[in-house]
Amino acid sequence: MPAFSLEPSQTARCAELRALAEERLRPLAEKGEPGQVNRPLIAELGRLGLLERLFTSGALDLCLMRESLAYSCTEAETALALQGLGAHPVHAHGTPAQRERWLPAVGDGGAVAAFALSEPGAGSDAAALSLSAVPDGPSRWRLTGKKCWISNAPEADFYTVFARTTPGAGARGVTAFLLPADRPGLTGTALDMLSPHPIGALALDAVPVSDDDVLGEVDRGFRVAMGTLNLFRPSVGAFAVGMAQAALDATLAHTARREAFGGRLKDLQSVAHTVAELALRTDAARLMVYAAATAYDEGAPDVPKRAAMAKLLATETAQYVVDTAVQLHGARALQRGHLLEHLYREVRAPRIYEGASEVQRGIIAKELYANLEAS
């Protein structure tokens, strides 16, 4: 891997995105109903051309978009990411008909996508999913079971659903299906989460699918899922880095002006050293995220390990930075509506979704030992 630094054009684009998020996206986010899909916000992301870039950009550009949006408007960042997560399998594995039907609508913000992998009994252990695809004639199945903690459910227009087509085969018996939301037998309910994003549960009661709905190959859907996650895991880290930077900048401003103990907070060595530690960890996480994304774009062989490392370090770092920033701000940071109160709720989930921190450590260890055995 070469030494990494951003080009001036990339730095300028990030600044432009932060400004757009502040001026055009945050007002729409603030008007949205908590826990519901914000379609005006998604439509604006489409008008700005950001959703189309999900299908034309590499992993690094995706990270820069997510970090920049997260800094100014976490709701816009999440809306962008969920469109990408739900639609990327269609972009990467869909048939021409599937792509023509859905990708233009996702790109202009007119259709809402969702990625339906997790189940009540198969969260971190995604290969243990039990949603069944029972044969229903030649090249046809009926999907029966439940999905849980699905972002944009139950309001999405279509779902990338992963179902078990071969019982007892583990990861080798899973198939990805493109499932429009109007299929008979598909219902859903919203879930009330710590951070009020649109997240819900789905119930599938003999939902009909056919070969025309398969993404990729039958029994090879786990590759679709893992390929999507390898792309998006570093960018989850970028989301975390954006939040960490926002918390760090707020803390710098607060400690520079806050008077206490006969001076400014920044004049206390314990405070100054803590702020230095926040900056150190944030920059280290950012560099690992950029390196993992660059490895993905270059087709490096160790992408799963790098993606896991980036996601793990960045999300754990952001949790530390935001928590410490709250501590340095004091009680004011706990008031509803304060930036850090908002970030404190937002920062917790990324350590769980798209593979919990413990899962990332498992991936890293597996890759390390595999390399040892191969050498």
Side-chain angles (χ1 to χ4, degrees):
M1 291 288 294
F4 187 84
S5 62
L6 291 180
E7 298 291 338
S9 60
Q10 293 172 310
T11 302
R13 180 59 177 160
C14 289
E16 179 186 357
L17 279 178
R18 289 194 295 270
L20 283 173
E22 177 75 28
E23 297 165 8
R24 295 178 59 174
L25 299 176
R26 186 187 288 178
L28 292 172
E30 291 174 347
K31 293 178 182 177
E33 290 293 326
Q36 296 183 17
V37 171
N38 188 330
R39 289 184 181 266
L41 177 62
I42 293 172
E44 185 66 14
L45 288 168
R47 278 189 288 271
L48 292 173
L50 298 179
L51 297 178
E52 286 187 354
R53 287 176 60 188
L54 290 169
F55 310 121
T56 60
S57 303
L60 178 58
D61 193 40
L62 176 60
C63 285
L64 297 180
M65 284 196 290
R66 293 189 69 175
E67 179 185 342
S68 301
L69 292 178
Y71 181 86
S72 298
C73 180
T74 58
E75 295 90 345
E77 185 284 332
T78 299
L80 175 97
L82 295 181
Q83 288 290 85
L85 190 65
H88 179 266
V90 183
H91 169 69
H93 302 278
T95 65
Q98 291 170 334
R99 291 164 58 90
E100 182 179 353
R101 167 66 182 88
W102 291 108
L103 294 186
V106 171
D108 65 20
V112 175
F115 185 81
L117 178 62
S118 296
E119 298 180 4
S124 293
D125 185 9
L129 64 84
S130 61
L131 180 80
S132 64
V134 178
D136 184 37
S139 302
R140 302 186 70 85
W141 299 264
R142 294 277 181 168
L143 305 183
T144 298
K146 294 181 179 180
K147 294 291 181 181
C148 197
W149 308 296
I150 307 304
S151 294
N152 284 344
E155 299 177 72
D157 297 305
F158 73 93
Y159 300 87
T160 295
V161 174
F162 298 87
R164 180 157 302 287
T165 38
T166 300
R172 297 180 182 274
V174 172
T175 299
F177 294 94
L178 193 165
L179 189 62
D182 59 0
R183 285 288 168 86
L186 176 63
T187 57
T189 56
L191 299 174
D192 189 9
M193 308 295 285
L194 174 66
S195 187
H197 291 300
I199 297 177
L202 298 174
L204 295 91
D205 183 11
V207 177
V209 291
S210 71
D211 261 355
D212 292 339
D213 302 309
V214 173
L215 292 168
E217 301 176 60
V218 174
D219 282 348
R220 295 294 181 266
F222 204 68
R223 295 179 182 178
V224 176
M226 292 304 105
T228 302
L229 293 177
N230 281 337
L231 170 60
F232 277 84
R233 274 175 178 157
S235 71
V236 174
F239 172 39
V241 168
M243 289 190 288
Q245 189 66 54
L248 171 59
D249 287 352
T251 302
L252 280 168
H254 173 70
T255 55
R257 66 173 180 262
R258 173 67 169 169
E259 294 185 1
F261 307 108
R264 304 290 175 88
L265 279 180
K266 70 180 182 65
D267 298 324
L268 298 174
Q269 187 182 69
S270 61
V271 171
H273 284 190
T274 298
V275 171
E277 183 72 15
L278 300 184
L280 173 70
R281 296 196 190 193
T282 300
D283 272 3
R286 177 180 288 111
L287 288 173
M288 181 160 278
V289 166
Y290 290 178
T294 303
Y296 183 97
D297 288 339
E298 293 180 350
D302 59 349
V303 166
K305 181 187 73 174
R306 286 185 175 274
M309 284 182 166
K311 200 260 186 186
L312 173 64
L313 179 65
T315 56
E316 295 285 343
T317 294
Q319 180 80 55
Y320 168 80
V321 171
V322 171
D323 184 74
T324 304
V326 169
Q327 194 70 19
L328 290 176
H329 276 74
R332 72 189 67 235
L334 301 178
Q335 285 184 271
R336 185 73 68 180
H338 192 282
L339 169 65
L340 289 173
E341 179 269 336
H342 171 75
L343 292 177
Y344 200 77
R345 288 183 286 112
E346 292 278 328
V347 81
R348 187 61 183 85
R351 292 172 60 205
I352 296 174
Y353 64 63
E354 295 188 37
S357 292
E358 293 75 13
V359 171
Q360 305 311 317
R361 291 186 175 94
I363 293 171
I364 295 164
K366 179 181 177 181
E367 293 292 319
L368 289 171
Y369 284 114
N371 290 337
L372 178 66
E373 293 168 1
S375 62

